[in-house]
Structure formats: C-alpha cells, structure tokens
Amino acid sequence: MAIRRHTPYVRDVADLIYTHARLAPVYDLFEPDRDDLDAYVALAAELGSRRIIDLGCGTGSLAPLLAGPGRTVLAVDPAVASLRVARAKPGSDQISWLAGDATALPPDINADLVVMTGNAAQAVLTDDGWTTTLRHVHAALTPGGHWVFETRRPERRAWQEWDNPPPETAHVPGIGPVERHLELTEVSLPLVSFRFTYRFLAEGTVLVSDSTIRFRGRDEVEAGLRQAGYTIRDVREAPDRPGRELVFITYRA
C-alpha cells in the first residue's frame, strides 16, 4: 500500500522513515514504482524550465530525472538520512543538495520551476506553516516561474484504504527481508494519522514511524494560493491516480 509522501515542511519533527539511518534506505524498496514522477518530468519540458527546485526531494528519485544539459537542479529536504541515500544514486553529482525545509530556499535563486511531489504538501499541518511555505516558495521563484504540487482529494477519503492492509515484505541487500505493516491510528479531519511498523526479520529489530498529514480541499488550496500572490494556471488530475489527487499548476505573476 503506497502512501507516497516526503518529509515535512515547517515542522519540528520529521517522520522516522525519512530521518532514521536504518529506515531511510528502506523507503525506495517499498516504493519501487515511481511512475507518478513522469508527469513532472513532462511538465518541466512543457514549461521549458531551466532552473528547477525539487522541494521535498526525499531519497532523490525525481531530481536526476530533471537534471540535464542547460538545466540546474537544486534538491531540498530536511531529512539528512534521506539526502544521504539520494547523494549515493547515479547522476547525483549533477544536482545541488540542500538540507532544510521551505524556509531554506534562497530568495534570490530565481527558479522558474519548483516541484513538490509525493503529496509532500499534506505534511504541512498548520495554517501558519502552509502560509510560510507559500511565502518562501513565492520568494524563490522568478516572475512567471511556476510552482507545481499535488494533494489528495479529501472527498475521496483515501485513509479508508490505510486501515490494516496485509503486510508487505521487501528484501534489503545485506540485511535480508523487512516487513512493513500499515495501521491507521487516528482520523480527526482535516488531520489523519497512521503508523508504519518495520520488522527486520533476520535480526528481530522493530522500528516504528508515526505520521500525520492534512487534507485540504480544492477551494481552501486555491484561496490560499491567491492570497499569497500566485496565479492558478491549471488544476489537473494526477494521471497515474485519476479521481484521487489534484495537481496544482501555479505561477508567480
């Protein structure tokens, strides 16, 4: 059961799956199919983007796909353990890596595209945190530059699928089989909390990662964007998850 989401922004504590030295390298093995990233690669080409920020790069699945001749890519994430995994991947030497959240974005970088994949926007839990994220992304964009991010539709009630599905097992090189179990722990809308339990079967170690995300409706998201000075160019379906998520394509006027 995939719950793609990267580390939090403007929060005090990141989820253990992204920050723990044992768990961060396991993340990709449970999320091997990242066809959700294809739409972002295509959009960067559609917009003719040359200076790109991958905000919430996580373990670095997207940034190498965006890098290429004539492009600069800055990949940002607050989880050092995830960045360590990202820097070990092929093509990582073409990317600039930065440990931090949205507040770490250089205000004079003049990016023409900021992307925020994996429903990372839902990891911003508070109104103040979301407003801060909007402000710092806006400052990092050149006039006319785009910010593209996705978020789940609250009306789809995705959390109903997260209540104790069958465990999954991945084989980790040098470690052996690791079992992951998902448990829905609390629904107090707009917040939903869940827990991943990881069992390293060869040695018996058990590690737990608790997460909370926020569901924002389309009207709420659009109102916040306009108030922060963005123009909404388009709102699209996530092509690999029709009916489940919305992709907001915005720009700084």
Side-chain angles (χ1 to χ4, degrees), residues 8-12 78 101-103 123-126 128-130 132-133 136:
Y9 299 87
V10 201
R11 280 179 57 191
D12 292 332
D101 60 17
T103 64
V124 185
L125 303 186
T126 67
D128 286 347
W130 184 237
T132 298
T133 300
H136 282 271

Side-chain angles (χ1 to χ4, degrees), residues 100-174:
D101 60 17
T103 64
L105 295 177
D108 57 349
I109 194 170
N110 292 321
D112 51 26
L113 176 62
V114 176
V115 294
M116 201 172 181
T117 64
N119 297 294
Q122 290 188 255
V124 185
L125 303 186
T126 67
D127 292 335
D128 286 347
W130 184 237
T131 299
T132 298
T133 300
L134 292 171
R135 185 173 70 252
H136 282 271
V137 171
H138 191 276
L141 287 168
T142 192
H146 288 80
W147 180 29
V148 183
F149 63 94
E150 64 191 49
T151 187
R152 296 179 183 87
R153 295 174 179 264
E155 63 271 19
R156 182 61 178 71
R157 302 177 71 85
W159 58 86
Q160 293 181 338
E161 302 173 6
W162 305 343
D163 194 9
N164 294 306
E168 303 171 280
T169 301
H171 289 268
V172 182

Side-chain angles (χ1 to χ4, degrees), residues 22 26 30 168-180 198-205:
R22 293 292 304 277
V26 171
F30 282 100
E168 303 171 280
T169 301
H171 289 268
V172 182
I175 294 177
V178 177
E179 181 185 86
R180 183 177 78 167
Y198 295 84
R199 300 182 184 276
F200 292 74
L201 300 180
E203 60 188 66
T205 301

Side-chain angles (χ1 to χ4, degrees), residues 208-239:
V208 175
S209 179
D210 288 305
S211 302
T212 298
I213 58 178
R214 177 166 175 167
F215 284 78
R216 293 179 176 87
R218 177 170 177 171
D219 289 347
E220 179 185 357
V221 174
E222 291 186 348
L225 287 167
R226 293 191 177 100
Q227 186 173 7
Y230 294 88
T231 299
I232 300 170
R233 171 173 171 171
D234 197 5
V235 182
R236 302 179 181 178
E237 295 276 357

Side-chain angles (χ1 to χ4, degrees), residues 3 34 38 42 44 47 54 61 81 92 103 111 128 155 162 178 195 207 212 218 223 226 249-250:
I3 303 183
R34 294 306 308 270
D38 295 343
L47 298 174
D54 181 6
S61 296
S92 64
T103 64
D128 286 347
E155 63 271 19
W162 305 343
V178 177
R195 172 177 296 156
L207 295 173
T212 298
R218 177 170 177 171
R226 293 191 177 100
I249 303 173
T250 73

Side-chain angles (χ1 to χ4, degrees), residues 47-58:
L47 298 174
S49 304
R50 290 292 177 264
R51 298 181 303 279
I52 303 174
I53 297 174
D54 181 6
L55 178 58
C57 65

